[in-house]
């Protein structure tokens, strides 16, 4: 399968009066056509900034630098703002946590879907656009689509609103959807339904999905591969099943241990939590950024930032436990 996205050495820094925040610090990754990639980590670890950087939606004092951001064979770094506007909402669409961020409360759903279709499929007639709107609402499982098109966003429940947002995101027939915590605001049952819907739709349409979430349980449901982020770095990546069954990085192990009902956790047992907090981004530790919270921390971890190494097919990790320096220290 060909790559739809290739990112090399992406760094997004915010130059503030208090200092420089390295929100995303030289990360590289790729996505295949039709692939579902999870980007996971606690809040403030750089996962949302990664998503916004790809479509160059970073406001000053933020600055994006990269050796390469190539989408569908096009160099996004060289694109003008006008060209990027065509790509955003077109070949790349975004879904946010709060559907009301994307929906305009004063227009009907049909008006908002029609606007999208007019922009990205100008060849369609008015009648064809109406039929397409009905079809899209049906595809995302909204009953009485014909009538519901005339409704305003506030007339839908939270889960149904997010389905509408997904329908609008699909209206431009995107090649990549970036979904930032799309189900966090929904209750657990609705969350599972919306995730399965997204998985089914991207499979059917063959479009790629980048699912940004703080929740590894969500990632395990629908993704093919996962990037685990911490303090702006990808600390571990790999195929979802393999990463969940055998997490390598102590941070990934901590995230997994904190999922209710995971592994050996009994109902009456307290969940494990990762000790400490994400460090102050203005004052990051010198070596491994996870060192102050890591139970396996060694001397080298405090001094030297671990490099990313390939451990096995598709599995990469940035931790001294798997590099020469850490192994020597352990002996
Ligand atoms: Fe822990 Fe050291 Fe690995 Fe960092 S490099 S995660 S401190 S063992």
């Amino acid at each position: 399968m060909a790559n739809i996205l290739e990112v090399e050495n992406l760094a997004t820094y915010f130059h503030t009066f208090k200092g420089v925040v390295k929100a995303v610090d030289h990360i590289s990754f790729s996505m295949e056509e039709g692939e579902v990639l999870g980007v996971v980590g606690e809040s403030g670890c750089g996962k949302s900034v990664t998503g916004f950087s790809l479509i160059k939606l970073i406001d000053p004092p933020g600055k994006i630098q990269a050796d390469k951001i190539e989408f569908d064979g096009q160099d996004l770094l060289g694109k003008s703002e006008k060209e990027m506007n065509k790509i955003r909402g077109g070949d790349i669409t975004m879904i946010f946590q709060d559907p009301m961020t994307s929906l305009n409360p004063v227009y009907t759903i049909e008006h908002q879907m029609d606007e999208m279709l007019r922009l990205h499929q100008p060849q369609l007639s008015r009648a064809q656009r109406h039929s397409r709107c009905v079809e899209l609402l049906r595809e995302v499982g909204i009953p009485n689509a014909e009538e519901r098109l005339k409704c305003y966003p506030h007339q839908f429940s939270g889960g149904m609103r997010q389905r509408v947002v997904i329908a609008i995101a699909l209206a431009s027939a995107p090649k990549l959807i970036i979904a930032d915590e799309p189900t966090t605001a929904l209750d657990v049952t609705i969350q599972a339904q919306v995730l399965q819907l997204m998985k089914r739709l991207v499979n059917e349409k063959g479009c790629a999905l980048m699912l940004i979430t703080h929740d590894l349980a969500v990632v395990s449901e629908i993704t093919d591969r996962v990037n685990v982020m911490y303090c702006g770095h990808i600390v571990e990546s790999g195929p979802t099943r393999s990463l969940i069954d055998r997490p390598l990085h102590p941070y990934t192990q901590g995230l997994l241990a904190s999922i209710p009902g995971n592994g050996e956790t009994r109902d009456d047992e307290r969940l494990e939590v990762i000790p400490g907090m994400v460090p102050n981004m203005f004052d990051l530790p010198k070596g491994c950024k996870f060192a102050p919270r890591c139970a396996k921390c060694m001397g080298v971890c405090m001094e030297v930032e671990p490099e990313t190494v390939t451990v096995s097919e598709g599995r990469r990790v940035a931790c001294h436990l798997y590099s020469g320096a850490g192994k020597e220290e352990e002996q």
Side-chain angles (χ1 to χ4, degrees), residues 87-98:
I87 292 173
R88 296 181 203 122
D91 282 344
I92 305 179
T93 55
M94 275 200 90
I95 297 173
F96 299 99
Q97 176 177 341
D98 179 3

Side-chain angles (χ1 to χ4, degrees), residues 17-43:
F17 290 120
K18 278 173 76 182
V20 179
V21 174
K22 297 178 176 177
V24 173
D25 200 7
H26 294 95
I27 63 168
S28 300
F29 65 97
S30 60
M31 284 181 76
E32 288 182 0
E33 287 171 2
E35 185 177 45
V36 182
L37 174 74
V39 180
V40 74
E42 291 162 290
S43 62

